[in-house]
Amino acid sequence: MSGTVLAPQATIGVLGGGQLGRMLALAAARLGFKCHIFAPSPDSPAFDVVHRVSCADYNDTEALDRFAADVDVVTYEFENVPAETATFLAARVPVLPDPQILATTQDRLAEKLFVRQLDIPTALFAAVAQPAELTAAIERIGLPAVLKTRRYGYDGKGQATIKNDTDLQDAWREVGGQPCILEAFVPFEREVSVVAARGQDGAVECFDVTENEHREHILKTSRVPAALSQFAVHEARRIAEAIAQKFAYVGVLAVEMFVLPGGGEILVNEIAPRVHNSGHWTLDGASVSQFEQHIRAVAGWPLAKPIRRGRVEMINLLGSEVEDLQRWLTVPGAAVHVYGKAAIRPGRKMGHVTRVFADE
Ligand code: AMP
């Protein structure tokens, strides 16, 4: 719903209680808003920074009713919120971005078809509903290829790479035997993302293109600006803006992209309908953060024009790396963020460090 303009003191409801919700709530507080976090886990890191929380399942309609009555607008920090939850809430209170967008971005097949419809390139892909369809899909796509579950995949979960010698039964089992898409393996030169915001007035502001390095499918380091030609930078931003406009999106989204060898061609990998790990650098490295931009958009406020403060590097503290905290605390210029998660698990995002350097 557009046209909602919130005054300071209004309450923004956030579905999801992870670090993204926590950083959204901190940004909202700076602008004078209150946040009410709805999340199923009592250990949700976002609960620690707000006054109002609902700790309930996403299908608890009584809790959702109470949440809707307490908030002026609802947004998400987590895209796997059940579509029915968002639709239930949308009948009671404005939900931004529109719940319809969740349906597209929760399904890798629908998402890829949406991107292709905009004439934006992606890797070749084919739907694979059952194991019997895998051989025909491989004939079309070629090898190597990546088998991905259509739903609930993140940080490389629900993915299997298929090479010439891969046992197809094993690959199907590895992704959990669910409807999938098969994607051509992209021999990319680099991975980049564009974090973009669209306001209720239709204005779009993109943050500078970010270069991302993954370790075991999990984001480890982001660097800005990405080492791209002017042409590729322009193309990456054009793609993100086209997606935001086509969705009539309100809020922040991230578009993950592959840059092909030679640097000229860009393929879209994935759209995240939320603030994104590759935009964390904006907290310390830009005049406005992705979190504030999202809050401004859902509140019906004008977006800020982001100005980068220099060359920026963001390093995720994954799992036990958070134990390096003492070392990071003494590094000159390092900004340390800790998410307050009790349990350390391998690969779990526990915090991040940002370093801003003078532009070369
Ligand atoms: P995703 O969950 O789709 O974002 O994939 C996680 C990571 O796996 C990406 O950031 C890439 O590093 C890698 N990856 C995913 N799809 C492909 C592909 N088609 N070709 C090559 N690498 C891929």
Side-chain angles (χ1 to χ4, degrees), residues 181-192:
I181 65 168
L182 186 73
E183 264 180 42
F185 183 85
V186 179
F188 56 80
E189 186 177 273
R190 51 189 92 241
E191 289 190 77
V192 299

Side-chain angles (χ1 to χ4, degrees), residues 108 146 148 156 159 183-186 188 191 214 217 256 258 269-270:
R108 288 187 193 271
V146 187
K148 299 182 178 178
Q159 284 190 29
E183 264 180 42
F185 183 85
V186 179
F188 56 80
E191 289 190 77
H214 293 81
H217 298 282
E256 295 179 43
F258 297 130
N269 176 36
E270 216 177 14

